[in-house]
Amino acid sequence: YKIRDFIPENILELFSLSYFRAASRKLFSKESGVDAEMSNDQPVAVNTSVNEGQTILADGSRVYDKITREKSKDEIDAIAISFATQSTSYGFDSFFEIDEKTQKRLEQFIALVKRDGVKITLFLPPYHYKSYEIMSKLPKYKMMKEGEAYLIQFSRENKISLVGSYNPEKLPIHEDDFLDGMHFKDTAVRKIFK
């Protein structure tokens, strides 16, 4: 017998024996703990979730490195402004209209999973207050608002849940919940999904 005879393929894909072995060795070595360092950009097993470096938790969520987590409000505000005003617009450089083929595929996918009884929740992550204030006024970001409007209408018409907004003013969050122009702390997630 092989392990594949007992565990469905889609479940088996969630496990990596080689990663587990390497992580196990590191976890019980002197290299584990808060002072663990990344070597050659390889993951290092640690026994805490808040570390000097970035940590990827078992559920796939990330805990950012200490330097990112401990930025001052002024530093975060400056980063948020820079993010919104940079010459390249993250994700919006070639987004001038909603692509009909992509829209159709999304709608077909949603219909398919709904038919299978899956409860769907779409999530619109907010931008930092200062980022959104700038982005909402710049022509290169016009699709941000149009995309959100489409998803709101689509969610209503298809009776699916939509949580969040690109506009942080519409959500029960605060500037202190952000790490930069587009990433927010877990405190924001808890507030948004409450």
Side-chain angles (χ1 to χ4, degrees), residues 3-167:
I3 194 162
R4 295 183 191 288
D5 296 334
F6 301 100
I7 300 175
E9 188 69 28
N10 61 339
I11 300 296
L12 196 57
E13 290 173 3
L14 297 173
F15 301 97
S16 165
L17 188 56
S18 61
Y19 177 80
F20 176 75
R21 284 182 187 146
S24 297
R25 282 193 295 272
K26 291 274 188 180
L27 183 61
F28 297 109
S29 75
K30 63 183 178 186
E31 296 175 27
S32 67
V34 174
D35 295 322
E37 303 248 348
M38 297 297 276
S39 60
N40 298 327
D41 293 330
Q42 292 298 313
V44 175
V46 294
N47 54 14
T48 60
S49 63
V50 178
N51 300 289
E52 293 290 321
Q54 181 171 238
T55 304
I56 301 174
L57 303 178
D59 65 1
S61 60
R62 296 175 184 265
V63 177
Y64 288 95
D65 60 275
K66 184 177 181 179
I67 292 170
T68 301
R69 291 190 317 264
E70 295 181 357
K71 282 187 170 61
S72 71
K73 180 188 179 316
D74 290 340
E75 288 174 303
I76 293 169
D77 287 351
I79 292 167
I81 291 167
S82 174
F83 168 77
T85 57
Q86 62 192 348
S87 60
T88 57
S89 50
Y90 183 83
F92 291 95
D93 285 331
S94 58
F95 187 28
F96 307 110
E97 63 184 4
I98 295 175
D99 181 73
E100 289 181 24
K101 288 181 187 175
T102 303
Q103 181 180 359
K104 186 92 172 152
R105 283 196 300 258
L106 171 68
E107 291 170 0
Q108 289 171 337
F109 175 73
I110 297 288
L112 177 68
V113 295
K114 276 184 69 175
R115 221 178 12 246
D116 288 343
V118 175
K119 183 178 185 251
I120 300 164
T121 299
L122 298 179
F123 176 56
L124 295 173
Y127 288 100
H128 185 282
Y129 287 79
K130 295 199 182 302
S131 297
Y132 187 84
E133 181 182 353
I134 294 166
M135 293 165 67
S136 66
K137 295 174 185 169
L138 294 175
K140 68 179 178 178
Y141 292 109
K142 79 177 184 108
M143 290 309 300
M144 175 180 64
K145 288 182 176 181
E146 289 183 28
E148 181 167 345
Y150 161 73
L151 290 172
I152 290 169
Q153 178 183 345
F154 175 74
S155 296
R156 283 186 187 137
E157 290 172 358
N158 291 277
K159 296 178 178 62
I160 57 177
S161 174
L162 184 132
V163 176
S165 172
Y166 297 136
N167 182 352

